[in-house]
Every structure is written in structure tokens, then in C-alpha cells.
Amino acid sequence: MTISIRPMRSADLPEVLALQAEAYASATFELEGHDFFANRLQLAPACCLAAQAPDGTLAGYLVSYPWRGDAVPALGVPLPALPAPPDRWYLHDCAVARRARGQGVAPALHAAGARAAREQGLRQAALVALADAVAYWQRLGYQARQLPGGELAGYGPGAAYMQRPLAVPPQEGAARALPGLHAAASTACGSRR
């Protein structure tokens, strides 16, 4: 299957919501709605990406944006603006369709998003990984970091705040080399806000 990575569009949001529901079917947290995704897409269009299958359907998505500091953005809460100046790329959510798992969709989305973040001058990446995805993000160079307080309580036991420098892209070359992946700009990749 040939997958194209492209900027997410407003018209993709119904499919993004369906993929989110599939990816997080057993989640204990409340899924985010259309207005939340529309808000992040409007604020950071260069960092919100879609993986499109040859039939035109979405094989996955990445919602990310420039962020500042270690505070974890609130779940489901639209923002009036992004914090300025940003000092990191925050991977809010990444999900891959069941039918596209194991085909390099998540690493391709991550590589394209990291390139966009570096083009904006960002040199650090951060995310919250669900418990079953911590090892995946470690393979991409992320390291868990302790945060004060109970900021991760809503993510379930074992969730971890993780960071890595963007200056050293450990998996981008591998993602670009996967056959059938083209970049134009678990049940999930495991990044959850």
C-alpha cells in the first residue's frame, strides 16, 4: 500500500474522529471532539498531518503543534493561541488505522512532523505516551521525564511524559526509506496529548 503524508485538512476531521475512536476504543479518558481538532489544525496547520491511502481514505494522522514549557496541554480544551515563543514541538495525538498497522505510517508521520517543527526553528520534542506505547517512543529516541504534580493522571497508569532533541532524527532516514511511503508536507501511535 502506498501512503502519502500530506497536511491535514478540515474535510479530514470526520475521518480523524473515526480513527481516534478506533485507536482509543478501550481508553479510559474522554475522546476529543471536532472543535478540539479544528482548533489545533487552525493554530498549527504545518504540524497537523494526514497519512492518505491510495483509495483516498486516511491511514493515520498526527496532531502536533509548537508549545512552550513542560506543562502538558489540557485534554480537549481549545486554545485561543499557541504560547509564544515556542520552545518545543508537542505531539498531541497520533493514530494509525487498524488496516494500516505495520506499514510504517506512524514513523512516516513522525518524520514529516519533525521536519516541519525543525523548519519552524524548534529543537525539542515532547509528548505524553500511553503505558503501552512508551517502548515505541523510546525506539524513536524519546526519554521519560518526571513532571511535578498529577498532570498525567487522566492518561491512565503508566503514562509517561517524554522528550527528545529534534536535532538528531534517529528514525527519519528509516521512515523515508520504507517502500510505498511518500511525504508531501498498537491501536495508536501512542502519543496522547
Side-chain angles (χ1 to χ4, degrees), residues 48-134:
C48 294
L49 304 172
Q52 185 171 319
D55 65 3
T57 62
L58 292 190
Y61 68 84
L62 171 68
V63 173
S64 63
Y65 38 90
W67 194 246
R68 182 167 184 77
D70 290 331
V72 175
L75 293 172
V77 177
L79 297 170
L82 293 172
D87 63 5
R88 68 199 62 215
W89 173 48
Y90 190 79
L91 287 78
H92 184 92
D93 192 10
C94 180
V96 174
R98 203 172 288 130
R99 71 185 189 289
R101 289 186 198 140
Q103 297 180 39
V105 174
L109 284 164
H110 182 270
R115 281 192 299 278
R118 278 195 304 280
E119 287 170 5
Q120 294 180 40
L122 302 173
R123 297 292 175 251
Q124 181 78 12
L127 58 87
V128 173
L130 299 180
D132 62 353
V134 170

Side-chain angles (χ1 to χ4, degrees), residues 134-151:
V134 170
Y136 171 80
W137 292 108
Q138 286 173 330
R139 287 192 302 275
L140 289 181
Y142 287 84
Q143 295 180 355
R145 185 164 167 258
Q146 197 66 22
L147 291 179
E151 291 190 57

